[in-house]
Amino acid sequence: MCEIKLQDESFSKRFTSYSSGSIQPKAPAGHSWESLMEMARNEARCAQKEGEVPVGAVVVEMGGTIVGFGHNRCIQDHDISAHAEIVALRCAGQTLRTYRFSSCIMVVTLEPCAMCTACILNARLNGVVFGARDHRAGAIVSSCSETFSSAFGVRIWYMGGVLGLLCAQDLQRFFAQRRCERIEEELLCSTIMSPQRIS
């Protein structure tokens, strides 16, 4: 286990990383990290079918019980906070009838953003495992990792890169498809709006 080294006191210093040279944390009973990530990917597929950005998350107790799951629901719920992580935490809260989850780990397909990372810290999760890094908005190891001061009296371990390539490819395919659809719509609109010459 190694501490994240940053130049100043930051949000992500509340997390402890497992590097390639560290002993990997043991997965919850009856699971592997890969099998849990596949569950999260299944949730991400549900999001995609519903027209949402395909991110999925599960919350699992160390004993192996899945207590929460969720995927992005911002568009259909008209709720900017309905990211996969927060939906999964809400589900876990209803399952366990609590708002603190010190015996639980979250497995999520994409590195959490600042909003979700703050919720994870407040929920006192034991650890976070993510698939793909979010270089633009990730708040654990990527671009937003120094956004907040370390006002939380809690340390949470994290491990990134579990099925990371597959998780990244899921998102890349989704956005590539979105771009193609947008181009097709623009072409269709320009064709309809263009005056036709009558010979």
Side-chain angles (χ1 to χ4, degrees), residues 3-4 6-15 117-118 121-122 124 139 144-156:
E3 290 292 318
I4 302 170
L6 296 173
Q7 292 182 346
D8 61 356
E9 283 293 309
S10 68
F11 200 31
S12 65
K13 286 188 78 171
R14 291 296 171 191
F15 288 82
T117 301
L121 286 165
N122 275 300
R124 306 295 195 263
C144 296
S145 63
E146 298 185 29
T147 301
F148 295 87
S149 63
S150 53
F152 297 88
V154 61
R155 283 208 179 285
I156 297 174

Coordinates of all heavy atoms in Angstrom, one line a residue, residues 3-4 6-15 117-118 121-122 124 139 144-156:
E3 N 1.1 5.7 -0.3 CA 0.4 6.9 -0.2 C 0.5 7.7 -1.6 O 1.5 7.7 -2.2 CB 0.9 7.8 0.9 CG 0.6 7.3 2.3 CD -0.9 7.4 2.6 OE1 -1.5 8.4 2.2 OE2 -1.4 6.4 3.2
I4 N -0.6 8.4 -2.0 CA -0.5 9.2 -3.1 C 0.4 10.4 -2.8 O 0.2 11.0 -1.7 CB -1.9 9.7 -3.5 CG1 -2.8 8.6 -3.8 CG2 -1.9 10.7 -4.7 CD1 -4.3 9.0 -4.0
L6 N 1.3 14.1 -3.5 CA 0.9 15.4 -4.2 C 1.6 16.5 -3.6 O 2.1 16.4 -2.4 CB -0.7 15.6 -4.1 CG -1.5 14.5 -4.8 CD1 -3.0 14.7 -4.4 CD2 -1.4 14.6 -6.3
Q7 N 1.6 17.6 -4.3 CA 2.4 18.8 -3.8 C 1.7 19.5 -2.6 O 2.4 20.1 -1.8 CB 2.7 19.8 -4.9 CG 3.6 19.2 -6.0 CD 3.9 20.2 -7.1 OE1 3.2 21.2 -7.2 NE2 4.9 20.0 -7.9
D8 N 0.4 19.4 -2.5 CA -0.3 20.1 -1.5 C -1.4 19.2 -0.9 O -1.7 18.2 -1.4 CB -0.9 21.5 -2.0 CG -1.9 21.2 -3.1 OD1 -2.1 20.1 -3.5 OD2 -2.5 22.2 -3.5
E9 N -2.0 19.7 0.2 CA -3.1 19.0 0.8 C -4.3 19.0 -0.2 O -4.7 20.1 -0.7 CB -3.6 19.7 2.1 CG -2.7 19.4 3.2 CD -2.7 18.0 3.7 OE1 -3.8 17.5 3.9 OE2 -1.6 17.4 3.8
S10 N -4.8 17.9 -0.6 CA -5.8 17.8 -1.6 C -6.8 16.8 -1.3 O -6.7 15.9 -0.4 CB -5.2 17.5 -3.0 OG -4.7 16.2 -3.0
F11 N -7.9 16.8 -2.1 CA -9.0 15.9 -2.0 C -8.5 14.4 -2.0 O -8.9 13.6 -1.2 CB -10.0 16.2 -3.1 CG -11.3 15.7 -3.0 CD1 -11.9 15.5 -1.7 CD2 -12.1 15.3 -4.1 CE1 -13.2 15.1 -1.6 CE2 -13.4 14.9 -3.9 CZ -14.0 14.8 -2.7
S12 N -7.7 14.2 -3.1 CA -7.3 12.8 -3.3 C -6.3 12.2 -2.2 O -6.0 11.1 -2.2 CB -6.7 12.6 -4.7 OG -5.5 13.3 -4.8
K13 N -5.8 13.1 -1.4 CA -4.9 12.6 -0.3 C -5.7 11.8 0.7 O -5.1 11.2 1.6 CB -4.1 13.7 0.3 CG -3.0 14.3 -0.6 CD -2.1 15.2 0.2 CE -1.2 14.5 1.1 NZ -0.1 15.4 1.6
R14 N -7.0 11.9 0.6 CA -7.9 11.1 1.5 C -8.0 9.6 1.0 O -8.6 8.8 1.6 CB -9.3 11.7 1.6 CG -9.2 13.0 2.4 CD -8.8 12.8 3.8 NE -8.5 14.0 4.5 CZ -8.0 14.1 5.7 NH1 -7.5 13.0 6.3 NH2 -7.8 15.3 6.2
F15 N -7.3 9.3 -0.1 CA -7.4 8.0 -0.7 C -6.0 7.4 -0.6 O -5.0 8.1 -0.7 CB -7.8 8.1 -2.2 CG -9.3 8.3 -2.3 CD1 -9.8 9.6 -2.3 CD2 -10.2 7.3 -2.5 CE1 -11.1 9.9 -2.4 CE2 -11.5 7.6 -2.6 CZ -12.0 8.9 -2.6
T117 N -17.1 11.5 -5.8 CA -16.0 11.3 -4.9 C -16.3 11.9 -3.5 O -16.1 11.2 -2.5 CB -14.7 11.9 -5.4 OG1 -14.4 11.3 -6.7 CG2 -13.5 11.6 -4.5
A118 N -16.9 13.0 -3.5 CA -17.3 13.6 -2.2 C -18.4 12.8 -1.5 O -18.3 12.5 -0.3 CB -17.9 15.0 -2.5
L121 N -16.7 9.7 -0.1 CA -16.0 10.0 1.2 C -16.9 10.2 2.3 O -16.7 9.7 3.4 CB -15.1 11.3 1.0 CG -13.9 11.1 0.2 CD1 -13.3 12.5 -0.2 CD2 -12.8 10.4 0.9
N122 N -18.0 10.9 2.1 CA -19.0 11.1 3.1 C -19.7 9.8 3.5 O -20.1 9.6 4.7 CB -20.1 12.1 2.7 CG -19.7 13.5 2.9 OD1 -19.4 13.9 4.1 ND2 -19.5 14.3 1.9
R124 N -18.2 7.0 3.8 CA -17.2 6.2 4.5 C -17.1 4.8 4.0 O -16.9 3.9 4.7 CB -17.6 6.1 6.0 CG -17.9 7.4 6.7 CD -16.6 8.3 6.8 NE -16.7 9.4 7.8 CZ -17.0 10.6 7.5 NH1 -17.3 10.9 6.2 NH2 -17.1 11.5 8.4
A139 N -11.8 12.5 -10.2 CA -11.4 13.2 -9.0 C -10.6 12.4 -8.0 O -10.3 12.9 -7.0 CB -12.7 13.7 -8.3
C144 N -9.2 16.3 -11.7 CA -9.8 17.1 -10.7 C -9.3 16.7 -9.3 O -10.0 17.0 -8.3 CB -11.3 17.0 -10.7 SG -12.0 17.7 -12.2
S145 N -8.3 15.9 -9.2 CA -7.9 15.3 -8.0 C -7.5 16.3 -6.9 O -7.4 16.0 -5.7 CB -6.8 14.3 -8.2 OG -5.6 14.9 -8.7
E146 N -7.2 17.5 -7.3 CA -6.7 18.5 -6.3 C -7.7 19.7 -6.1 O -7.4 20.7 -5.7 CB -5.4 19.1 -6.7 CG -4.3 18.0 -6.8 CD -2.9 18.6 -7.1 OE1 -2.7 19.7 -6.7 OE2 -2.1 17.8 -7.6
T147 N -9.0 19.4 -6.4 CA -10.0 20.4 -6.4 C -10.4 20.8 -5.0 O -10.6 22.0 -4.7 CB -11.3 19.9 -7.1 OG1 -11.0 19.6 -8.4 CG2 -12.4 20.9 -7.1
F148 N -10.5 19.8 -4.1 CA -11.0 20.1 -2.7 C -9.9 20.1 -1.7 O -8.9 19.3 -1.8 CB -12.0 19.1 -2.3 CG -13.3 19.2 -3.2 CD1 -13.3 18.5 -4.4 CD2 -14.4 19.9 -2.8 CE1 -14.5 18.5 -5.2 CE2 -15.5 20.0 -3.6 CZ -15.5 19.3 -4.8
S149 N -10.1 20.8 -0.6 CA -9.2 20.7 0.5 C -9.5 19.4 1.3 O -10.7 18.9 1.2 CB -9.3 21.9 1.4 OG -10.6 22.0 2.0
S150 N -8.6 18.9 2.1 CA -8.8 17.6 2.7 C -9.6 17.9 4.0 O -9.0 17.8 5.1 CB -7.5 17.0 3.0 OG -6.6 17.9 3.7
A151 N -10.9 18.1 3.9 CA -11.7 18.4 5.1 C -12.4 17.1 5.7 O -13.1 17.2 6.6 CB -12.7 19.4 4.7
F152 N -12.1 16.0 5.1 CA -12.7 14.8 5.5 C -11.8 14.0 6.4 O -10.7 13.7 6.1 CB -13.1 13.9 4.3 CG -14.1 14.5 3.3 CD1 -13.6 15.3 2.3 CD2 -15.4 14.3 3.5 CE1 -14.5 15.9 1.4 CE2 -16.3 14.9 2.6 CZ -15.9 15.7 1.6
G153 N -12.3 13.6 7.6 CA -11.5 12.8 8.5 C -11.6 11.3 8.2 O -11.9 10.5 9.1
V154 N -11.3 10.9 7.0 CA -11.4 9.5 6.6 C -10.4 9.2 5.5 O -10.1 10.0 4.7 CB -12.9 9.2 6.1 CG1 -13.2 10.1 4.9 CG2 -13.1 7.8 5.8
R155 N -10.0 7.9 5.5 CA -9.1 7.5 4.4 C -9.8 6.3 3.7 O -10.3 5.4 4.4 CB -7.7 7.1 5.0 CG -6.8 8.2 5.3 CD -5.4 7.8 5.1 NE -4.4 8.9 5.3 CZ -4.2 9.9 4.5 NH1 -4.9 10.0 3.4 NH2 -3.3 10.8 4.8
I156 N -9.7 6.3 2.4 CA -10.4 5.2 1.6 C -9.3 4.7 0.6 O -8.7 5.6 0.0 CB -11.6 5.8 0.9 CG1 -12.7 6.2 1.9 CG2 -12.2 4.7 0.0 CD1 -13.9 6.9 1.3

